[in-house]
Amino acid sequence: MGAPSKNRMDLTADAKRAMLSRRSGSPSVRSAETAKSTGPYPFGDECVKGMAAAIKAAYSKEYAAGDFPRQTQVSFKIDSKAVDRMKVAAVTHHIRMRDLWAIATDIVIQALDELDREGI
Amino acid sequence: MGADGVAQVARTIAVINNKGGVGKTTASKALCEGMAERGLNVLLIDMDAQANITTWMKAETAPAVPTVFNLLEKPKTFLSDCVQFMDGCDIIAGDIAMKDLDSVLSQGLGREFRLKRALEPAMDVYDYIVIDCPPSLGLSTLNALVAADDVVIVTEPSMFSINGFGNVYDLVESIKADYAFNPDLNIDGILLNKYSKDEVASRAADEQLPAIAELGHTKLYAARPMKHKAIEDAANNKEPLFGFRPNDAAVAEFRKFVDEYLGGE
């Protein structure tokens, strides 16, 4: 066995976390930074805003009462209303559900950050 | 392991035997510490419902953090939520719920491939992934073997433990050939743990195991860790195996085992 890979040795916990948050079989990542860098979203700002509002509303109660770490909550529970909005967006804008899911997860994280700031 | 330099993707090692108490957890810990000392990025996965290595590493477990059970039960779980980033070696915690994995996933789609699939994002993050398996050959061990590149079988000088090798070998062959779940799975070697040259059982194991290893197309590691209190003390005190009593003879044998696995580096 040779010397370890320098790139891997230099990975910080944050860098690892970002890489590990990729979906299996998909290059998509869910970090807010990546979402910003890939914007604007191809299906229109209005749709994104609608989704964000729906997701935020769905999460406000759960987040306040949640026993789980926030990110777990995000990955375990995408609200059914939000999923319906995503399906509509996927059909009307010809976007793969898988890609939409990754974007939606970014939106959820951003929505939760807003909840944080609002002290909910 | 293959002497092919640094892999572009992580190499995954399943540490197994269907007999309990043979030293799988200690061997897993030794591999992780030895690799981390070399500057390698290592992820440890605690598949054992007893979660001993999770406790040893002072990691959190359910319900505080998502565990390997969450990862296997819910395929949409993000790996990043389950990994706890620690000095030297990251870990996905074990969980008592793993005892129910077989029944929970009995009708689950792709149940044998859940771990392999879940680990895909980790393949270019880590150099090695070490899986500490439970003392059973159920679905959790099956998932480990489907995800693994190498198998390390840990045994002790006892009839029951050595008999366990046959069961493991049969399972590995089924996974490789009968079902083609993982055709390239390699039994890297057998580690004879809790060795005492003064005991008849150890001398008998010394005589039998080379032939058994040959039958299984694998090797017997030269390292022979003894049953020393230093090992138990390190675990009980939740201290590093190689750091607690570094000059202990049994600890030195575990270092030798890691050297052998890594090819003498």
Side-chain angles (χ1 to χ4, degrees):
Chain A
M1 199 200 75
S5 156
K6 189 167 189 315
N7 287 342
R8 281 187 205 151
M9 283 171 64
D10 293 342
L11 285 175
T12 63
D14 283 343
K16 285 184 195 174
R17 189 175 290 112
M19 293 170 80
L20 293 173
S21 67
R22 292 168 297 185
R23 278 281 178 227
S24 297
S26 165
S28 302
V29 298
R30 62 171 179 155
S31 71
E33 292 78 7
T34 305
K36 284 171 190 163
S37 68
T38 55
Y41 300 118
F43 44 87
D45 287 346
E46 285 307 310
C47 181
V48 170
K49 283 177 189 170
M51 284 169 60
I55 293 168
K56 184 178 170 182
Y59 269 84
S60 57
K61 287 182 185 173
E62 289 183 3
Y63 182 44
D67 293 329
F68 287 102
R70 187 177 62 177
Q71 289 188 343
T72 307
Q73 205 173 310
V74 171
S75 56
F76 278 11
K77 303 172 186 174
I78 293 286
D79 180 78
S80 59
K81 283 183 186 173
V83 172
D84 287 344
R85 299 290 293 262
M86 287 162 64
K87 284 178 182 170
V88 171
V91 171
T92 55
H93 297 280
H94 307 288
I95 299 165
R96 287 186 307 176
M97 194 65 188
R98 189 176 73 183
D99 294 339
L100 206 52
W101 186 273
I103 294 168
T105 310
D106 289 331
I107 294 169
V108 170
I109 291 172
Q110 289 168 18
L112 291 175
D113 285 342
E114 284 179 32
L115 292 173
D116 265 346
R117 284 194 292 274
E118 292 165 14
I120 296 172
Chain B
M1 66 160 289
D4 54 353
V6 173
Q8 292 304 303
V9 296
R11 195 160 185 90
T12 305
I13 312 151
V15 181
I16 68 172
N17 193 329
N18 63 335
K19 169 83 167 57
V22 296
K24 293 182 290 292
T25 295
T26 310
S28 301
K29 191 77 164 65
L31 282 169
C32 292
E33 287 188 24
M35 289 166 175
E37 279 182 356
R38 288 164 169 80
L40 296 163
N41 258 341
V42 190
L43 173 64
L44 172 66
I45 303 174
D46 187 355
M47 295 286 276
D48 192 349
Q50 298 174 88
N52 289 338
I53 205 163
T54 299
T55 306
W56 191 347
M57 288 185 64
K58 302 178 193 171
E60 292 189 271
T61 187
V65 294
T67 66
V68 69
F69 179 78
N70 302 124
L71 195 64
L72 297 178
E73 187 200 14
K74 306 264 189 191
K76 286 188 168 64
T77 304
F78 280 100
L79 190 60
S80 54
D81 290 344
C82 300
V83 174
Q84 296 179 58
F85 302 97
M86 310 187 81
D87 282 343
C89 172
D90 298 338
I91 183 171
I92 299 176
D95 189 334
I96 187 65
M98 286 295 280
K99 70 181 172 52
D100 299 324
L101 187 71
D102 286 57
S103 57
V104 170
L105 292 189
S106 63
Q107 302 295 320
L109 200 62
R111 57 190 176 276
E112 298 92 350
F113 295 89
R114 299 252 176 137
L115 183 63
K116 183 178 177 65
R117 185 78 171 152
L119 289 177
E120 282 175 10
M123 287 295 131
D124 58 352
V125 175
Y126 295 99
D127 297 298
Y128 286 95
I129 298 172
V130 177
I131 308 172
D132 183 23
C133 293
S136 76
L137 299 181
L139 197 52
S140 47
T141 297
L142 191 56
N143 263 275
L145 292 176
V146 169
D149 299 296
D150 291 330
V151 176
V152 169
I153 301 172
V154 184
T155 189
E156 62 181 8
S158 75
M159 182 180 70
F160 295 133
S161 178
I162 291 170
N163 285 351
F165 173 73
N167 299 331
V168 171
Y169 181 73
D170 287 347
L171 180 61
V172 168
E173 283 304 300
S174 287
I175 287 168
K176 286 174 69 171
D178 297 346
Y179 301 106
F181 283 164
N182 186 359
D184 298 325
L185 184 59
N186 165 56
I187 301 179
D188 191 77
I190 305 171
L191 176 66
L192 179 56
N193 188 28
K194 299 185 178 179
Y195 182 82
S196 170
K197 65 180 187 320
D198 298 329
E199 289 179 0
V200 174
S202 288
R203 292 199 295 273
D206 255 341
E207 289 175 8
Q208 293 171 7
L209 278 175
I212 291 173
E214 194 176 341
L215 282 172
H217 309 291
T218 187
K219 64 177 182 286
L220 182 63
Y221 296 112
R224 296 277 191 281
M226 298 71 90
K227 186 179 180 182
H228 271 199
K229 199 164 178 301
I231 308 290
E232 200 178 318
D233 287 349
N236 288 340
N237 288 286
K238 301 178 185 176
E239 293 292 337
L241 177 65
F242 292 160
F244 192 59
R245 287 183 194 150
N247 299 321
D248 180 86
V251 171
E253 288 297 310
F254 271 112
R255 276 190 184 281
K256 189 172 160 186
F257 155 62
V258 178
D259 288 344
E260 285 184 78
Y261 175 78
L262 290 172
E265 287 294 315

